[in-house]
Amino acid sequence: MRRLTDVLLRRAGSGVRVAKDVSGQAADVLRTVATVGGVRGVAVEAAWLAAHAVLYPWGAVAQQLRPEEQFRHYRTDHLPPRQRGLVVSAMDAAGTPIVLVHGIGDNRSAFAVLSGALRRRGFGVVHAVNYSVLTALTGDVRRSAALLGEHIERICEQTGADRVHVVGHSLGGLIARYYVQRLHGDARVRTLVTLGTPHGGTLAAYLLPTPLTRQLRPGSDLLTELAEPGRPCRTRFVVVWSAMDQVIVPQRNARLSHPGLLVEEHEIRDSGHLSLPVDTRTLHAVVAAITRSDDSTLHHVTPGREGFSGSGMTERHGSRPQASR
């Protein structure tokens, strides 16, 4: 009886701590929303939600990969000045495929704005993948990561590329991270950019009791596995998170700290979860990361627009461990 009482007391104490944490995070979000940037962020989130609802049926159709797009950029005479500048100064970056992976219950329409912006800047192959809308009910991050790996292999085969860049929004970032960390995907993925990804889990996952959402809860077996030390990882991580994210709770769980990963971090104070892929500051972070992907070290990035937190940018988190034996 005493043991049962102790267990109940510990659970009650844990519940109180979680409640205090959530209430504190909610207060922080409200303070952010009360700012000029926060009001603008709420307006953008609402506008993008409406636009996204219109685009969603179009995004349900799988995107056809056109490998020849990669080779169009080896000639520059027909390109606008911005695209020509990228191809001339960073031909490898312009020719490396960029794979976009959407979040839970979504499809490639989430990247309608970002993909177009990347193409206009001269990136040759920008390809958004779709996975089943039933993933929220029947999905599994490990299985989805394996399927993503197969898709990336096909992209490399069809384009002749050795490696790709990946941008993952929300769950898409976690799927890509599992592929990179646990399925040897770092051999293929040069840069992984995650947008509002629950690297530390989210309390919102308790709202839907499915196998997938259980994997997204803080302390889950999946997240514990990803947090374990492992072999050296060759992929560069760029993490973009928002202090106003209404899906990742607490918001800091979208950050990533791991002793075996090179991580560059950007905090956007006033963007909602859904509108992260359409935020111009996100585009800036993605373009900067990809065009600097050949650097052996991470450098500070000076933001060109307000909204980034200076303290949220780091050169490196942790260090590369020795290969596990």
Side-chain angles (χ1 to χ4, degrees):
M1 179 63 70
R2 180 177 298 176
R3 182 176 299 175
L4 176 60
T5 302
D6 291 341
V7 171
L8 292 176
L9 287 174
R10 283 197 299 270
R11 288 184 178 179
S14 177
V16 170
R17 287 193 297 273
V18 170
K20 288 182 178 179
D21 193 16
V22 171
S23 62
Q25 292 290 322
D28 290 342
V29 171
L30 289 176
R31 283 193 290 270
T32 302
V33 170
T35 65
V36 174
V39 172
R40 182 177 62 246
V42 171
V44 171
E45 183 85 346
W48 174 239
L49 179 61
H52 193 47
V54 175
L55 293 171
Y56 193 90
W58 160 81
V61 180
Q63 181 180 3
Q64 297 299 314
L65 179 65
R66 296 182 175 85
E68 69 275 6
E69 290 179 354
Q70 181 184 26
F71 302 105
R72 294 177 185 175
H73 297 277
Y74 287 102
R75 288 184 58 87
T76 63
D77 52 313
H78 67 290
L79 297 178
R82 176 181 287 179
Q83 294 182 351
R84 187 182 304 124
L86 175 66
V87 174
V88 171
S89 63
M91 181 176 289
D92 186 56
T96 301
I98 302 174
V99 181
L100 310 176
V101 189
H102 62 78
I104 191 169
D106 213 334
N107 59 37
R108 67 187 180 92
S109 62
F111 296 110
V113 174
L114 181 61
S115 60
L118 290 172
R119 290 190 183 93
R120 287 192 297 273
R121 279 160 174 77
F123 294 99
V125 178
V126 183
H127 183 71
V129 303
N130 275 353
Y131 53 85
S132 173
V133 295
L134 298 178
T135 299
L137 299 175
T138 62
D140 176 82
V141 170
R142 296 178 178 90
R143 175 58 181 160
S144 296
L147 293 175
L148 174 63
E150 294 173 5
H151 201 103
I152 288 176
E153 287 299 321
R154 288 194 295 271
I155 291 174
C156 289
E157 180 181 355
Q158 293 180 44
T159 62
D162 293 325
R163 304 186 75 183
V164 302
H165 302 294
V166 176
V167 180
H169 178 229
S170 194
L171 174 64
L174 197 64
I175 291 172
R177 179 186 168 191
Y178 193 91
Y179 166 62
V180 164
Q181 276 190 252
R182 309 301 293 184
L183 302 180
H184 303 280
D186 60 323
R188 285 297 194 191
V189 179
R190 177 172 293 175
T191 308
L192 171 56
V193 184
T194 68
L195 313 176
T197 290
H199 292 293
T202 173
L203 297 178
Y206 285 96
L207 298 176
L208 189 64
T210 69
L212 176 69
T213 54
R214 291 190 185 97
Q215 293 180 330
L216 304 182
R217 295 171 182 174
S220 70
D221 291 343
L222 177 90
L223 297 179
T224 300
E225 178 186 351
L226 286 174
E228 294 174 350
R231 58 185 180 79
C233 182
R234 290 164 283 184
T235 299
R236 284 179 42 158
F237 284 75
V238 178
V239 172
V240 180
W241 68 287
S242 173
M244 208 174 76
D245 196 313
Q246 72 277 26
V247 175
I248 310 302
V249 183
Q251 288 75 26
R252 64 172 178 270
N253 281 10
R255 304 177 71 179
L256 174 59
S257 179
H258 189 286
L261 304 178
L262 288 174
V263 181
E264 179 179 305
E265 182 180 295
H266 299 271
E267 177 188 357
I268 298 178
R269 296 191 184 96
D270 49 15
S271 178
H273 184 78
L274 293 178
S275 54
L276 273 172
V278 303
D279 197 298
T280 55
R281 294 162 295 186
T282 295
L283 174 64
H284 173 83
V286 171
V287 171
I290 291 174
T291 53
R292 292 185 299 106
S293 62
D294 289 331
D295 291 351
S296 59
T297 58
L298 297 182
H299 305 285
H300 284 293
V301 177
T302 303
R305 300 175 183 271
E306 292 184 358
F308 283 103
S309 167
S311 62
M313 295 179 204
T314 59
E315 289 188 355
R316 178 170 175 164
H317 289 174
S319 60
R320 295 186 187 275
Q322 299 297 318
S324 57
R325 299 179 180 178

